[in-house]
Amino acid sequence: MAHIELTTTVQAAPETVFDACLDVDVHSESMGTSAERAVGGVTTGRLKAGDAVTWEARHFGLPWRMTVMITDYRRPHGFIDQQVRGPFSRWHHEHRFMRDPVNPSATVMRDLIDFTAPWGPVGALVARLILRPYLRRLIARRNAYLASFLADPQPSDPRGPRTRTTGEGGAHTGRRTA
């Protein structure tokens, strides 16, 4: 089994970060490099306990599909998503949120991911040498996007959400979750 731990500080309240992490639309926007999008289950809006979503993306030039379910939900402290169908033998992603003790207006977000690739010892080697570093970069890039998205003040506009360009070349709706 491979393990990934990431810690990211976000300049927003834990409730705001928690909600943004469960927002299907924000997740899709954050994963522009892999064209990840929801194609089944809850495909827009915010996930809640017991919800499932099927993601479709391109990784390593290949199409991937993975269905995850929210198996634990403790707003605003954390939630767990687990693969119920997909490419891994096991996928368990715990999201934890706590107010930053140094900066009370910020949140410390922790990702704890345990996964197992199929194919026994060959899969374990692929997970350690290729998948773990790749997934770590992918989640770190998503977290950086989320931190930027939540730190960027969104002015109230009666005409609807504004659009800005992300560093990845994609569009961002500028919609905030709360």
Side-chain angles (χ1 to χ4, degrees):
M1 178 164 26
H3 183 74
I4 299 169
E5 283 189 41
L6 288 170
T7 301
T8 308
T9 301
V10 181
Q11 295 300 313
E15 296 83 3
T16 301
V17 180
F18 180 93
D19 290 346
C21 285
L22 283 166
D23 189 301
V24 172
D25 305 303
V26 171
H27 181 85
S28 293
E29 292 167 8
S30 73
M31 301 298 278
T33 59
S34 60
E36 192 161 322
R37 62 190 181 100
V39 295
V42 178
T43 58
T44 190
R46 191 174 306 144
L47 297 163
K48 59 188 183 311
D51 281 349
V53 58
T54 300
W55 297 106
E56 187 174 83
R58 290 194 78 76
H59 298 285
F60 306 107
L62 302 170
W64 294 70
R65 241 179 210 232
M66 182 164 117
T67 302
V68 296
M69 179 178 281
I70 306 303
T71 59
D72 186 37
Y73 183 96
R74 295 167 281 110
R75 186 178 191 268
H77 306 291
F79 67 92
I80 295 172
D81 63 81
Q82 289 184 251
Q83 176 188 282
V84 293
R85 195 172 313 111
F88 298 100
S89 295
R90 172 180 157 70
W91 175 269
H92 182 272
H93 185 171
E94 183 176 355
H95 305 255
R96 294 182 187 168
F97 311 94
M98 66 176 264
R99 198 164 293 283
D100 187 334
V102 176
N103 178 1
S105 66
T107 298
V108 175
M109 178 174 67
R110 291 207 54 214
D111 290 276
L112 303 136
I113 303 166
D114 290 308
F115 71 94
T116 305
W119 312 303
V122 171
L125 185 63
V126 168
R128 190 172 65 246
L129 297 177
I130 298 168
L131 291 176
R132 184 171 176 241
Y134 177 80
L135 290 169
R136 184 176 181 73
R137 285 190 308 273
L138 189 72
I139 300 297
R141 191 168 43 244
R142 178 195 190 280
N143 289 354
Y145 176 94
L146 189 65
S148 173
F149 169 68
L150 292 175
D152 183 19
Q154 306 295 313
S156 170
D157 186 341
R159 296 170 293 167
R162 66 189 176 90
T163 302
R164 68 179 165 90
T165 303
T166 68
E168 306 284 323
H172 170 69
T173 63
R175 186 174 54 82
R176 284 193 77 150
T177 59

